[in-house]
């Protein structure tokens, strides 16, 4: 992973470029924690050699994994970063384009980069906290909570 800060605070902007073989979710989580990001927006384009997206099953309170076991284009990747119990945590959704023109999409659980993933992270001076909601089964941004 390589990155460059392209705008100074109070609203910092970073360009993060992931390299072949890196896992997008793991690398972006590490980046967010290294930089202590607290309320950020994430957008990206690129490609994966394979990926797993998820569809949240509200009855099971867990993600159903949807494997994408082929080269795919990252047509859209958007999300946020907020502070969870274990630190800054990305919440990312992706639409992936397959070789036949069809798509797969959902919560990005993993994505093996190939050849690149170009990410823009726009941080703000605010901090948003995620609060676990047991009745839903997810940690969601709580605008009233403090990290």
């Amino acid at each position: 992973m390589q990155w460059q800060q392209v705008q100074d605070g109070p609203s910092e902007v970073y360009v993060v470029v992931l390299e072949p073989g890196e896992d997008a979710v793991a690398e972006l989580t590490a980046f967010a924690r290294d930089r202590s990001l607290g309320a950020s927006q994430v957008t990206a384009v690129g490609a994966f050699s394979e990926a797993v997206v998820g569809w949240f099953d509200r009855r099971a309170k867990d993600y159903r994994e949807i494997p994408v076991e082929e080269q795919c284009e990252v047509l859209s990747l958007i999300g946020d970063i907020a502070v969870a119990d274990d630190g800054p945590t990305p919440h990312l959704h992706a639409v992936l384009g397959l070789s036949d023109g069809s798509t797969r999409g959902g919560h990005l659980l993993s994505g093996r980069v190939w050849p690149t993933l170009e990410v823009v992270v726009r941080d703000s001076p605010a901090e948003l906290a995620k609060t676990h909601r047991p009745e839903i089964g997810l940690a969601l941004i709580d605008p009233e909570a403090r990290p």
Side-chain angles (χ1 to χ4, degrees):
M1 170 180 52
Q2 298 179 26
W3 63 273
Q4 179 180 1
Q5 185 173 343
V6 296
Q7 180 175 309
D8 290 328
S11 296
E12 298 166 338
V13 177
Y14 303 91
V15 173
V16 180
V17 179
L18 301 185
E19 298 180 19
E22 293 183 316
D23 180 87
V25 176
E27 293 294 326
L28 291 173
T29 299
F31 179 79
R33 292 178 182 178
D34 288 347
R35 304 296 305 162
S36 299
L37 302 180
S40 302
Q41 294 178 314
V42 178
T43 58
V45 295
F48 296 138
S49 59
E50 61 185 3
V52 178
V53 293
W55 178 80
F56 191 75
D57 183 334
R58 62 193 263 186
R59 288 187 185 151
K61 296 182 181 175
D62 200 4
Y63 288 98
R64 276 195 213 164
E65 292 187 0
I66 303 165
V68 179
E69 297 172 337
E70 65 180 89
Q71 172 75 25
C72 54
E73 295 288 325
V74 178
L75 303 176
S76 175
L77 189 148
I78 61 171
D80 60 50
I81 298 170
V83 181
D85 290 341
D86 54 351
T89 303
H91 179 184
L92 306 170
H93 287 197
V95 177
L96 307 176
L98 306 183
S99 62
D100 65 0
S102 65
T103 59
R104 298 286 186 278
H107 182 87
L108 184 63
L109 300 173
S110 68
R112 185 76 45 209
V113 173
W114 192 91
T116 190
L117 187 69
E118 300 164 344
V119 185
V120 176
V121 179
R122 299 176 192 287
D123 195 35
S124 77
E127 285 197 352
L128 294 172
K130 290 187 180 213
T131 302
H132 182 70
R133 306 260 310 268
E135 74 279 10
I136 297 173
L138 292 170
L140 303 176
I141 290 177
D142 181 349
E144 296 180 12
R146 297 283 177 228

